[in-house]
Amino acid sequence: MNKELIPTLVLILALFGGALYYFESVQRPFLSLLSFTKSTYLETLESVEKSIDEHFDQQATIIELNNELVQYKKDQLIMQQLQAENSALFRANNSSFTTRPDVDLVRVLSYSKFGDHRKLWLKMNDFNTSKVYGLVYNELAAGIVVNAHNQPMALLNGDPKSSYAVFVGKKLAPGIVHGTNSDQLLVKFIPTWIPIHKGDEVITSGLDNLFFHGLKVGKVISVTLSQGYQNAVIEPYYKPNQPAYFHVIKLLR
């Protein structure tokens, strides 16, 4: 480079720098270009990161669902074995009683209302809009399924409209459990002549044709008297979370 041009270039750069520093009209196009470049870069980076996250999230979800499917198939085989053994036992005792419940695996679609984690839309085959179904999660009573706008809606434990028949304690005191819009449940209409105590376990009775007998519901944490009956506050075993699947009891035979 010609050494005589160096002072000229320095002078030009100095004048340009001064103009860029002092004059807003000169700054504006450069700042706009810089802002556009930075915005484009960040949007591109965010898009790439999102694509990568979605890919790995989908992969993780597929692995998780495959593992759940394997476990569900295993549980189904165990239930089939128990059903066969029970049927053989009934035949050996000349009993006409059989147990062949119709249970379906259903998928959660979304919350039915933003902010209410106790109501869920379900994907359910052969949904009968005139029926109420028992909802089960990992052998725990989780709530009920009802019709809402001709679609199956899960009302999980805690929702005031989620109610079903239960037994309380070792002497199987009957009652009706329902939600209280809190983390606890309430069992009402328990006869006073059957003693119940704090710590007693609550199970489904099966008398409402929604659940099998014996599914776990929770434990008693307090007992009160009201209008000639006992009421029991329950700490439920199942608490609303974000499961992907439930079992629905479609028919008890």
Side-chain angles (χ1 to χ4, degrees):
M1 178 181 293
N2 192 336
K3 293 183 179 181
E4 296 178 356
L5 294 177
I6 293 178
T8 304
L9 291 175
V10 171
L11 179 60
I12 292 173
L13 290 175
L15 291 173
F16 177 75
L20 187 62
Y21 183 81
Y22 289 105
F23 296 99
E24 184 178 352
S25 59
V26 179
Q27 294 177 11
R28 190 177 299 113
F30 286 95
L31 291 176
S32 297
L33 177 62
L34 180 61
S35 177
F36 173 77
T37 304
K38 184 177 180 180
S39 176
T40 302
Y41 167 76
L42 292 176
E43 289 177 359
T44 303
L45 182 62
E46 183 180 354
S47 177
V48 172
E49 290 178 345
K50 183 178 180 181
S51 297
I52 294 174
D53 290 342
E54 287 179 350
H55 170 75
F56 284 106
D57 286 345
Q58 289 175 356
Q59 186 178 19
T61 300
I62 290 173
I63 293 173
E64 181 181 355
L65 292 179
N66 284 335
N67 291 336
E68 289 183 358
L69 181 60
V70 170
Q71 184 62 45
Y72 282 131
K73 288 182 177 179
K74 179 180 178 180
D75 292 343
Q76 184 179 14
L77 291 175
I78 293 174
M79 291 298 295
Q80 288 176 346
Q81 178 186 7
L82 292 175
Q83 177 186 327
E85 291 177 355
N86 284 338
S87 297
L89 179 63
F90 296 148
R91 288 194 299 270
N93 288 275
N94 295 321
S95 173
S96 60
F97 180 77
T98 60
T99 172
R100 293 191 298 119
D102 185 2
V103 180
D104 271 2
L105 184 66
V106 297
R107 185 176 65 183
V108 175
L109 296 178
S110 66
Y111 291 116
S112 66
K113 183 179 180 181
F114 182 76
D116 188 349
H117 59 280
R118 296 185 178 93
K119 293 185 176 69
L120 303 171
W121 292 118
L122 302 177
K123 173 64 176 178
M124 181 176 170
N125 296 325
D126 301 324
F127 175 63
N128 186 338
T129 57
S130 64
K131 288 190 60 176
V132 177
Y133 302 86
L135 193 68
V136 182
Y137 182 74
N138 288 347
E139 301 180 1
L140 303 176
I144 62 175
V145 179
V146 299
N147 173 46
H149 308 293
N150 294 320
Q151 297 294 326
M153 176 189 288
L155 302 180
L156 302 182
N157 287 342
D159 188 282
K161 293 183 179 179
S162 176
S163 63
Y164 44 91
V166 295
F167 285 142
V168 182
K170 294 181 179 180
K171 294 189 176 181
L172 303 182
I176 303 295
V177 66
H178 64 84
T180 59
N181 264 336
S182 69
D183 293 334
Q184 298 172 345
L185 306 179
L186 181 65
V187 180
K188 302 180 69 175
F189 307 116
I190 305 170
T192 55
W193 61 85
I194 304 178
I196 59 174
H197 307 91
K198 180 179 179 180
D200 282 349
E201 190 163 63
V202 180
I203 61 174
T204 55
S205 68
L207 299 178
D208 51 13
N209 206 35
L210 295 179
F211 291 99
F212 319 127
H213 166 79
L215 289 174
K216 293 183 177 181
V217 178
K219 283 191 174 182
V220 176
I221 59 176
S222 66
V223 180
T224 59
L225 295 176
S226 176
Q227 298 179 350
Y229 291 95
Q230 299 178 93
N231 294 334
V233 178
I234 306 300
E235 184 70 26
Y237 291 132
Y238 173 79
K239 297 181 180 180
N241 47 31
Q242 293 182 339
Y245 290 90
F246 288 96
H247 280 101
V248 167
I249 302 173
K250 299 184 72 175
L251 181 64
L252 297 176
R253 307 180 198 181

